[in-house]
């Protein structure tokens, strides 16, 4: 892991996970970064500035009113390659989402605007589950913040089954490294290095009225795993995702869409200069011909809704000739024949076949069992594996065509 010549601000807000921030500051410094630590007043109650000064070898800032540092909040917003907020308590997320600037850390986050920020939330599980925190994270994500964690595990108040625990310093470091676009670990000669890759994930949603939708149970996990795997091989990945429960992977550009038509527009705009498109999304194939602008009242008796086909993204796409295109085929029987005909009809280089009826495969599970079919007649049958491993194996096969 190398952060040589990187300038990182580590913003520490006041939660018990502060003790792990000391290790994070140390690891960043050891990896070559120049680390400026900014503590909130609450953080300084948990860990004294002196500790961070000793770990980073640099002065630690705790106040907007430091003599001689009148513009510290602007300099520290502008200059660094990355600002990491760890721990990011519920309070700091709320203040940042509101755009408050009532101490040094929030002032520098406000001045940071569209530059890289990575936050590692840490708080009691109920505080994390509170819709206020969810909304704040959503707001900050929409403004371009990246998040790592929180994870499920022991909290200061005891064991918990729900997320709240801050990610370990090594995990935060890995996310930071990915964000800074360092070459992939382990395989500097990766064929994916520098390639522009568009990955779609999740379902799409078609509204019947403002409160009812047609959709499917795709979790998005397969697509997110592919996007992360391609990114860690050094590809320049854009993830286009329908609505899912998953947190956007740190370090990736993520475009959120809702309907199939929105996904089509986003993909069309992105593929113009892409080297590969991996269509793992499950776009809704139909939408109501008429969208009611008010909630349809429940009627006695059956309801008939007329549906029309949504655009088929793969077949409607204008795409560069040399772009490698990977599609998915989720079938419920006679899969090989159907997948082959999809490869033909949708002009795919590869099709990834999985069976929705097979236990452990398809939607809503963390594993998958797929068969990879190539235009050149290649067929690779993979065993049941976690989706991230499936993603790696798919990329191993697809990279032959890059
Ligand atoms: N796909 C697409 N546009 C759609 C629907 C699907 O581009 N409107 C893509 C999927 O992302 C996948 C591939 O086409 O990569 C096959 O999707 P699948 O749902 O298996 O096939 P469909 O074309 O929808 O055909 P059918 O539902 O009849 O099996």
């Amino acid at each position: 892991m190398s952060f040589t010549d990187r300038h990182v601000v580590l913003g520490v807000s006041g939660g018990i996970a502060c003790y792990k921030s000391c290790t994070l500051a140390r690891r960043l410094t050891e990896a070559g970064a120049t680390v400026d630590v900014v503590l909130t007043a609450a953080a300084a109650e948990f860990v004294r500035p002196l500790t961070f000064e000793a770990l980073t070898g640099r002065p630690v800032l705790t106040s907007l009113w430091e003599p001689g540092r009148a513009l510290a909040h602007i300099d520290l917003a502008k200059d660094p390659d990355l600002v990491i907020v760890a721990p990011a308590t519920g309070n700091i997320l709320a203040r940042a989402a509101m755009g408050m600037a009532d101490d040094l850390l929030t002032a520098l986050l406000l001045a940071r605007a569209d530059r890289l920020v990575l936050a590692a939330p840490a708080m009691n599980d109920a505080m994390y589950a509170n819709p206020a925190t969810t909304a704040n994270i959503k707001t900050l994500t929409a403004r371009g913040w990246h998040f790592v964690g929180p994870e499920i595990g022991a909290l200061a108040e005891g064991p918990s089954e729900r997320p709240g625990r801050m990610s370990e310093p090594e995990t935060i470091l890995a996310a930071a490294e990915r964000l800074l676009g360092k070459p992939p670990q382990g395989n500097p000669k990766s064929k994916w290095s520098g390639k522009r890759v568009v990955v779609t994930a999740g379902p799409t949603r078609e509204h019947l009225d403002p409160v009812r939708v047609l959709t499917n149970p795709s979790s998005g996990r397969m697509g997110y795993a592919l996007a992360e795997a391609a990114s860690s091989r050094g590809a320049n990945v854009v993830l286009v995702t329908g609505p899912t429960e998953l947190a956007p992977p740190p370090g990736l550009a993520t475009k959120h869409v809702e309907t199939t038509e929105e996904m089509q527009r986003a993909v069309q705009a992105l593929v113009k200069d892409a080297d590969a498109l991996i269509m793992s999304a499950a776009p809704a194939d139909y939408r109501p011909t008429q969208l009611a602008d008010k909630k349809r009242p429940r009627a006695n008796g059956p309801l008939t809704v007329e549906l029309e086909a949504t655009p088929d993204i793969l077949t409607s796409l204008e795409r560069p000739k040399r772009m490698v295109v990977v599609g998915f085929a989720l079938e419920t029987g006679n899969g090989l024949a159907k997948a082959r005909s999809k490869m033909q009809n949708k002009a795919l280089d590869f099709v990834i076949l999985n069976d929705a009826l097979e236990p452990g495969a398809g939607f809503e599970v963390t594993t998958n069992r797929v068969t990879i079919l190539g235009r050149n007649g290649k067929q690779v049958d993979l065993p049941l594996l976690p989706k991230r491993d499936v993603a790696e194996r798919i990329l191993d096969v697809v990279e032959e065509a890059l």
Side-chain angles (χ1 to χ4, degrees):
M1 204 165 280
S2 168
F3 285 83
T4 313
D5 297 331
R6 295 299 198 176
H7 182 189
V8 177
V9 164
L10 175 60
V12 183
S13 63
I16 182 59
C18 278
Y19 78 93
K20 292 201 234 173
S21 308
C22 300
T23 308
L24 181 58
R26 185 64 177 178
R27 293 268 186 281
L28 282 164
T29 309
E30 283 168 352
T34 302
V35 184
D36 281 316
V37 176
V38 174
L39 299 181
T40 63
E45 295 286 329
F46 282 93
V47 184
R48 295 194 54 192
L50 187 67
T51 307
F52 286 103
E53 255 176 52
L55 292 170
T56 61
R58 293 176 64 80
V60 169
L61 296 167
T62 54
S63 161
L64 273 169
W65 320 115
E66 215 99 35
R69 301 298 309 266
L71 290 176
H73 62 297
I74 303 298
D75 298 340
L76 290 177
K78 222 172 48 199
D79 301 338
D81 299 294
L82 176 65
V83 171
I84 303 177
V85 186
T89 58
N91 183 44
I92 198 86
L93 294 175
R95 292 195 290 141
M98 286 293 290
M100 287 174 71
D102 55 352
D103 64 5
L104 180 56
L105 183 54
T106 47
L108 92 81
L109 289 170
L110 187 64
R112 182 93 181 149
D114 52 3
R115 296 193 183 86
L116 276 182
V117 178
L118 172 67
M123 66 200 80
N124 165 272
D125 52 0
M127 291 163 90
Y128 183 69
N130 191 302
T133 303
T134 312
N136 291 332
I137 290 177
K138 206 170 159 192
T139 302
L140 293 167
T141 303
R143 288 189 203 140
W145 278 41
H146 298 268
F147 286 86
V148 50
E151 295 176 14
I152 297 173
L155 299 171
E157 52 279 31
S160 166
E161 295 297 313
R162 298 191 298 173
R165 179 184 169 87
M166 186 170 89
S167 295
E168 293 304 315
E170 296 302 332
T171 311
I172 300 172
L173 270 181
E177 190 178 42
R178 242 183 301 160
L179 269 181
L180 290 172
K182 282 279 168 194
Q185 281 170 273
N187 186 7
K189 288 202 195 109
S190 162
K191 276 193 157 186
W192 295 89
S193 194
K195 292 283 189 292
R196 290 166 188 265
V197 180
V198 179
V199 181
T200 66
T204 60
R205 241 173 10 196
E206 304 293 340
H207 276 268
L208 284 112
D209 67 24
V211 299
R212 295 190 185 88
V213 292
L214 285 178
T215 186
N216 62 64
S218 166
S219 66
R221 285 197 194 96
M222 194 62 246
Y224 278 56
L226 280 159
E228 281 178 310
S231 168
S232 58
R233 290 178 183 218
N236 188 343
V237 179
V238 183
L239 173 65
V240 179
T241 176
T244 74
E245 295 288 310
L246 305 174
L252 302 190
T254 305
K255 168 95 184 137
H256 293 270
V257 297
E258 185 172 22
T259 65
T260 298
E261 203 171 309
E262 281 169 20
M263 184 171 277
Q264 181 197 35
R265 276 202 300 270
V267 172
Q268 181 62 71
L270 289 165
V271 293
K272 291 211 167 79
D273 56 357
D275 299 292
L277 167 65
I278 305 180
M279 274 294 298
S280 42
D285 282 320
Y286 289 94
R287 64 184 168 209
T289 47
Q290 277 174 348
L291 167 65
D293 57 356
K294 297 231 162 56
K295 186 179 168 191
R296 291 166 188 259
R298 184 193 162 97
N300 288 328
L303 168 72
T304 304
V305 179
E306 193 185 36
L307 303 179
E308 64 187 5
T310 55
D312 187 306
I313 301 173
L314 279 170
T315 46
S316 65
L317 218 53
E318 280 175 43
R319 41 168 131 154
K321 278 218 169 52
R322 50 174 190 79
M323 183 173 77
V324 178
V325 183
V326 182
F328 273 69
L330 178 65
E331 306 299 347
T332 53
N334 200 14
L336 277 174
K338 286 187 178 157
R340 286 208 181 91
S341 83
K342 276 178 193 169
M343 182 154 57
Q344 185 72 28
N345 299 341
K346 300 194 182 211
L348 306 174
D349 298 292
F350 296 93
V351 62
I352 316 299
L353 162 67
N354 51 12
D355 189 323
L357 302 181
E358 203 176 298
F363 287 164
E364 289 186 302
V365 285
T366 55
T367 52
N368 208 355
R369 216 218 43 80
V370 308
T371 298
I372 307 170
L373 299 173
R375 187 197 272 284
N376 54 7
K378 190 169 187 128
Q379 176 172 339
V380 182
D381 290 292
L382 296 182
L384 185 68
L385 291 169
K387 283 184 173 166
R388 177 59 196 252
D389 296 346
V390 176
E392 297 290 353
R393 304 284 287 271
I394 292 173
L395 296 188
D396 287 343
V397 174
V398 170
E399 75 176 19
E400 294 164 11
L402 279 176

